[in-house]
Amino acid sequence: MKRFVVLDSFRGVCAVAVVLFHTQILLSFSELGFFRHADLFVEFFFVLSGFVMFHAYGTREFGPQTLKRFVISRTFRLYPLHLLMLVVFIGLEFGKLFAEHHGFSFNDPAFSGKTAPSEILPNALLLQSWISSFNSLSFNTPAWSISIEYYLYMLLGLVLLWAPRYCGQVLALATLVSFAALYVELDVIKPFIWRGASCFFAGALTYQLYRRLEPAISRMDDQPFFNVLEVLCLLLVYRTLTHETPYQGILASLLFCVVVLVFANERGVVSQLLQRRGFARLGELSFSIYLTHAAVIFAFTSAAVVLSKLTGTDYTVILQQPDSDQIMRYISSGSQLIDDLLTLLELAMVLAVSTFTYHYVELKGIEVGRRLARSESLRLSQV
């Protein structure tokens, strides 16, 4: 089965951009306008996920046994690292509790608000983004999208099982309804659900379009055309993220469908660059980067709080977010150079932690899932 190396690399670059979006270092390059809107790359993750899932399962016979293997595979792909990071964040809350008993103060008391004990079970079940009474951003904040993605996988599997002949129509209807709900700000369910569903199902439709166009595109021999097309996509992404407009999220989502469609062909000069080992490695680590970076950022910020307490010099500053009541604690050394270096150090730590979790958690989980799926297939073949 074809692996879309360039799209994987693109996902890795986007994951790094999301890290910089969440980075809270006052004078750092992470405060540039592009990174201040890099949360929109989560839309890209959803689009790409729908595209890849339909590539893997949408063109094969999908019976009840395929659904079982699908559920096993997807569960062991997402759950091991998610559960590990949930345990890590619970441990960090205990660390915060210990620090509070020794005179240190943080934005929120330990095990309160979004880290209240009542939020643990919905996080463990990846339901925090689906049930209105729970906080989607509780504990490991980026996991809100994994919560949405996991159950969208299940919905896609059911559509492939129950309505294979009408799959395109069902996906198109789901995409249209989800985008319409975002447009009118329909709040009958959490907006996070519309945000994920619109992009995920649009990504699956994008794959269907890719399959139809692929024969004609493969016959094209026009390198300059693909070069211009890929560079234009990057410019449009930059423009979309750096200029706030009404319905920016919807526009970004539709643009990312085009980006995935273009870069899936891997024909231009940007694709050649993204196929290099460094970018491909980022693609491999992208899931770990995404799920582990919030813990690393928390550790950095906590270290600055402790250092401020010990030295009597403030290395953090609390700022209120524009157009919001939310307050955020930023690291601030007072020097742009030092803040930039701290950001690079933070990124290096994220990559180091992600390399470890990729090899010892992600890959191990994937292998267990494969063994269980093979065992299920073997058992059924012997019945």
Side-chain angles (χ1 to χ4, degrees):
M1 181 177 294
K2 179 179 178 179
R3 181 166 178 261
F4 296 94
V5 176
V6 170
L7 292 178
D8 272 351
S9 298
F10 211 115
R11 176 167 49 195
V13 173
C14 292
V16 171
V18 171
V19 175
L20 292 172
F21 167 77
H22 285 128
T23 293
Q24 297 160 17
I25 301 180
L26 190 61
L27 301 179
S28 163
F29 61 86
S30 62
E31 292 301 300
L32 293 173
F34 178 80
F35 297 121
R36 288 307 86 213
H37 294 90
D39 59 319
L40 289 172
F41 281 128
V42 176
E43 269 74 354
F44 175 80
F45 298 150
F46 279 121
V47 170
L48 182 57
S49 185
F51 183 92
V52 171
M53 283 299 99
F54 209 82
H55 168 64
Y57 296 97
T59 56
R60 66 165 72 173
E61 185 177 343
F62 201 93
Q65 308 315 321
T66 307
L67 178 62
K68 288 183 180 180
R69 295 192 297 272
F70 173 77
V71 171
I72 291 171
S73 172
R74 291 299 90 200
T75 298
F76 281 88
R77 176 68 182 90
L78 299 184
Y79 251 95
L81 184 55
H82 164 66
L83 289 178
L84 172 65
M85 295 312 300
L86 177 58
V87 170
V88 166
F89 270 90
I90 293 172
L92 289 173
E93 287 302 299
F94 278 110
K96 185 194 290 187
L97 189 64
F98 175 82
E100 287 171 353
H101 289 161
H102 289 78
F104 295 95
S105 62
F106 299 86
N107 290 3
D108 300 301
F111 292 110
S112 68
K114 69 176 187 177
T115 56
S118 59
E119 299 285 349
I120 294 176
L121 182 59
N123 270 269
L125 299 176
L126 281 175
L127 290 170
Q128 71 270 29
S129 293
W130 291 89
I131 302 175
S132 59
S133 57
F134 296 112
N135 190 330
S136 300
L137 305 179
S138 51
F139 288 99
N140 189 14
T141 300
W144 76 263
S145 65
I146 308 304
S147 167
I148 298 293
E149 186 173 343
Y150 179 73
Y151 290 102
L152 288 176
Y153 286 157
M154 303 304 115
L155 287 174
L156 177 62
L158 292 176
V159 170
L160 291 172
L161 177 66
W162 290 337
R165 292 181 57 187
Y166 304 100
C167 189
Q169 295 92 320
V170 172
L171 293 175
L173 179 62
T175 302
L176 181 62
V177 169
S178 299
F179 274 123
L182 283 175
Y183 183 81
V184 301
E185 300 181 353
L186 185 64
D187 60 357
V188 293
I189 59 176
K190 286 187 174 184
F192 285 129
I193 299 174
W194 298 128
R195 184 178 173 185
S198 60
C199 297
F200 181 82
F201 293 126
L205 290 175
T206 301
Y207 180 77
Q208 292 183 318
L209 180 59
Y210 164 79
R211 281 290 300 272
R212 292 190 178 189
L213 295 177
E214 186 182 22
I217 291 177
S218 63
R219 292 193 297 269
M220 294 178 61
D221 186 19
D222 190 351
Q223 185 68 31
F225 171 76
F226 289 105
N227 291 345
V228 170
L229 198 58
E230 290 187 353
V231 172
L232 180 60
C233 281
L234 295 186
L235 292 175
L236 287 173
V237 169
Y238 180 82
R239 170 76 183 184
T240 301
L241 265 66
T242 54
H243 291 75
E244 292 191 25
T245 58
Y247 310 107
Q248 186 178 20
I250 295 176
L251 293 175
S253 302
L254 296 174
L255 174 59
F256 288 140
C257 291
V258 175
V259 169
V260 167
L261 184 63
V262 169
F263 282 91
N265 295 286
E266 303 181 340
R267 298 285 295 277
V269 64
V270 180
S271 287
Q272 293 173 14
L273 176 63
L274 290 174
Q275 287 174 327
R276 293 183 178 273
R277 180 57 189 159
F279 288 108
R281 184 60 173 167
L282 283 180
E284 291 174 350
L285 298 178
S286 59
F287 183 61
S288 274
I289 290 171
Y290 185 69
L291 271 192
T292 64
H293 76 270
V296 175
I297 291 173
F298 180 88
F300 261 71
T301 305
S302 298
V305 170
V306 172
L307 186 61
S308 298
K309 180 76 171 180
L310 295 176
T311 63
T313 302
D314 285 335
Y315 291 110
T316 66
V317 58
I318 297 178
L319 299 176
Q320 184 171 333
Q321 298 300 293
D323 303 320
S324 171
D325 293 331
Q326 185 179 14
I327 61 171
M328 301 288 288
R329 187 185 296 271
Y330 282 77
I331 296 173
S332 178
S333 68
S335 164
Q336 182 175 346
L337 175 61
I338 294 176
D339 280 8
D340 283 341
L341 291 175
L342 285 173
T343 301
L344 293 175
L345 177 61
E346 182 183 274
L347 280 174
M349 288 297 298
V350 169
L351 292 176
V353 170
S354 299
T355 300
F356 177 84
T357 57
Y358 172 71
H359 287 288
Y360 295 102
V361 182
E362 272 194 72
L363 291 183
K364 300 294 184 184
I366 291 170
E367 182 55 34
V368 170
R370 285 173 177 167
R371 287 203 302 268
L372 289 174
R374 285 196 296 267
S375 298
E376 178 70 12
S377 298
L378 182 61
R379 184 187 67 82
L380 291 170
S381 66
Q382 295 173 342
V383 173

